[in-house]
Amino acid sequence: MLLKLHVCFLVLQQVLAQTSTSTALADSAPTEPPSTQTGKTPALGWNTWNAYGCDINEAKVLAAANSFIDLGLADVGYEYINIDDCWSKTTRNSTTQRIIPDSTKFPSGISSVADQVHALGLKIGIYSDAGTATCAGFPGSLGMEAIDAATFNEWGIDYLKYDNCNVPGNWSDSSQPEGGDWYNSNSAVRYRQMGGALAQQSRPIQFALCNWGNANVWDWGARVGHSWRMSSDSRPNWSYITSIITTNVAHLSAVGFYAHNDMDMMEIGNGALTTQEQRTHFAAWAFLKSPIILGTDLSKLDDTQVALIKNAELLAFHQDITNGSAAHPFTAYTGAPTTSPPEYYSGTSSTGFHVFIINTSSSTATKMFKFSSVPELGQTGTWKVHDMWSGANLSGTYSASSSFSVSVQAHDTVAYRITAV
């Protein structure tokens, strides 16, 4: 009996020590909010990972930057050229403790590549990790945040993707933190430390938290960074698209200016997604205001895919500077069936009201909504409808009591702007 009491006492001591340590970490962690000089609207850019993994070099990065110009992506707002994992040597400089770029992959150095990207009128991003090593085993930034933030600033970096691999056990979270506020969790503190270091730099650096939706990041992400990943890595299949939309819809109250739920990188151009699935992929990222970070070899995109990712009207909704909210699900008509994810969404922009409809079924289906059911429209008024994909106005006008029907192909999304007559 005495032995059992002794063991229980030791366990209690360990729990109290861990709680005390966690509380002390949170108490001393930076509280600076993210910069308001960048990241007001969701990021538009490209990232090396989905296209190349670790097989990266400065030629591929600069080729992507030039593709932004040649394909007209820069003209519609795409600006970030982001280098993901595997860009550095496996050990830091023994004297300065700075991360060293891999001179085989980046013979000119990251700073020179940044200069060339900036010369094109674009911005550049880089990758690190809130652990002891990156996901591919290169140096992480945990405990080295001040050095790394200063290094990135010196190189001219504009965007930091900050991953969540190789976290020591004493820095992870096994349960909800004391007081129930995940902002004071070990996970949040690791990101707050880098956020505080970035706040000390002269350059505004957009901070993308990549903690995979852990520690209820949507509850505190906006206090630390500009965007936060909601799940594990994206995949080029319909199942991923529907699952991440479902996840995002549950946390849309977190979305606003400088605050974006991140559904991860675009898979357009990868895998075997149909044209309709790629349209939904792009449209959902746009109307839910996730960062849109392309993740393919841009030189291999066909004309249809290029036109899709350049859709000016969906991008205008995504980048609207008068309304930072995402579109929200609504009930299309009394008695409408529920689906997961929801199929009907509405939102507001500086150009009008919007309705987006996803056909989640595997066959063509007729979709219908009543104008009076769209929350933004109210119960009176006369409306005209504009197709955001084609850029054409539909014929006729509609009253609040009218219904609107459209045939939607399997896994496709239609998008409309609705304005008063």
Side-chain angles (χ1 to χ4, degrees):
M1 182 67 178
L2 288 175
L3 178 59
K4 287 183 179 179
L5 288 172
H6 180 65
V7 170
C8 289
F9 178 71
L10 289 177
V11 171
L12 179 61
Q13 279 188 317
Q14 291 174 349
V15 170
L16 289 173
Q18 290 172 353
T19 301
S20 175
T21 301
S22 177
T23 302
L25 289 170
D27 288 344
S28 61
T31 57
E32 291 93 340
S35 171
T36 56
Q37 297 180 60
T38 185
K40 180 175 183 176
T41 58
L44 285 169
W46 175 87
N47 179 286
T48 59
W49 187 257
N50 286 358
Y52 303 116
C54 279
D55 186 22
I56 57 172
N57 56 51
E58 65 180 65
K60 291 176 178 176
V61 172
L62 293 173
N66 282 289
S67 288
F68 269 27
I69 307 302
D70 298 339
L71 296 175
L73 294 170
D75 294 334
V76 293
Y78 289 87
E79 59 179 343
Y80 288 101
I81 301 294
N82 294 342
I83 302 168
D84 210 281
D85 206 349
C86 311
W87 59 267
S88 75
K89 292 187 175 181
T90 55
T91 57
R92 291 174 175 267
N93 182 295
S94 59
T95 302
T96 65
Q97 293 302 307
R98 284 166 54 129
I99 301 179
I100 310 167
D102 185 327
S103 57
T104 301
K105 296 176 179 177
F106 295 91
S108 301
I110 300 297
S111 180
S112 174
V113 174
D115 288 343
Q116 294 176 73
V117 170
H118 290 152
L120 295 173
L122 304 172
K123 296 178 180 179
I124 189 166
I126 207 160
Y127 167 99
S128 191
D129 188 281
T132 56
T134 70
C135 297
F138 295 86
S141 293
L142 183 63
M144 309 295 285
E145 294 88 355
I147 291 174
D148 292 350
T151 300
F152 300 151
N153 179 75
E154 180 185 313
W155 288 346
I157 296 299
D158 304 293
Y159 180 111
L160 174 63
K161 175 184 173 182
Y162 204 45
D163 219 333
N164 195 39
C165 283
N166 296 301
V167 177
N170 63 313
W171 275 104
S172 62
D173 294 293
S174 58
S175 61
Q176 191 171 4
E178 184 180 10
D181 186 355
W182 284 98
Y183 179 71
N184 292 322
S185 66
N186 288 339
S187 294
V189 168
R190 286 185 289 113
Y191 285 86
R192 286 164 60 184
Q193 289 181 168
M194 179 55 83
L198 294 175
Q200 303 305 311
Q201 309 309 313
S202 58
R203 299 183 65 82
I205 298 176
Q206 187 160 164
F207 191 22
L209 317 181
C210 182
N211 84 329
W212 321 328
N214 292 343
N216 286 24
V217 63
W218 34 78
D219 292 338
W220 52 267
R223 299 169 67 183
V224 180
H226 299 94
S227 64
W228 44 90
R229 276 273 297 279
M230 307 196 77
S231 73
S232 57
D233 290 355
S234 63
R235 301 177 299 280
N237 57 52
W238 179 244
S239 176
Y240 178 81
I241 292 171
T242 55
S243 67
I244 194 61
I245 293 172
T246 300
T247 300
N248 196 344
V249 165
H251 303 288
L252 290 178
S253 61
V255 177
F257 289 134
Y258 309 102
H260 315 296
N261 288 335
D262 184 355
M263 301 197 290
D264 201 16
M265 291 174 282
M266 288 271 106
E267 295 286 3
I268 292 172
N270 302 330
L273 292 170
T274 67
T275 297
Q276 292 72 30
E277 289 167 346
Q278 292 177 79
R279 279 162 52 101
T280 295
H281 188 3
F282 182 77
W285 267 239
F287 70 69
L288 295 177
K289 300 205 172 176
S290 166
I292 295 177
I293 305 295
L294 307 174
T296 194
D297 180 345
L298 298 176
S299 69
K300 296 181 179 179
L301 292 175
D302 61 32
D303 291 345
T304 299
Q305 291 166 329
V306 171
L308 192 162
I309 62 177
K310 287 174 62 178
N311 182 278
E313 297 192 34
L314 284 163
L315 288 172
F317 183 90
H318 184 256
Q319 294 292 302
D320 193 88
I321 60 171
T322 63
N323 190 326
S325 299
H328 283 65
F330 73 98
T331 301
Y333 53 90
T334 302
T338 57
T339 59
S340 181
E343 293 189 319
Y344 295 84
Y345 301 79
S346 66
T348 304
S349 78
S350 58
T351 61
F353 308 107
H354 301 263
V355 168
F356 308 93
I357 309 172
I358 303 172
N359 178 10
T360 60
S361 68
S362 56
S363 59
T364 298
T366 298
K367 300 298 176 183
M368 185 270 285
F369 68 89
K370 290 196 68 173
F371 284 81
S372 60
S373 295
V374 179
E376 293 82 0
L377 300 185
Q379 302 300 305
T380 60
T382 304
W383 310 99
K384 57 184 179 180
V385 178
H386 174 88
D387 187 330
M388 297 172 68
W389 282 118
S390 68
N393 293 324
L394 304 189
S395 61
T397 59
Y398 300 84
S399 68
S401 61
S402 299
S403 296
F404 181 92
S405 296
V406 59
S407 178
V408 186
Q409 293 186 67
H411 298 175
D412 199 1
T413 292
V414 292
Y416 300 109
R417 183 177 74 241
I418 300 174
T419 52
V421 173

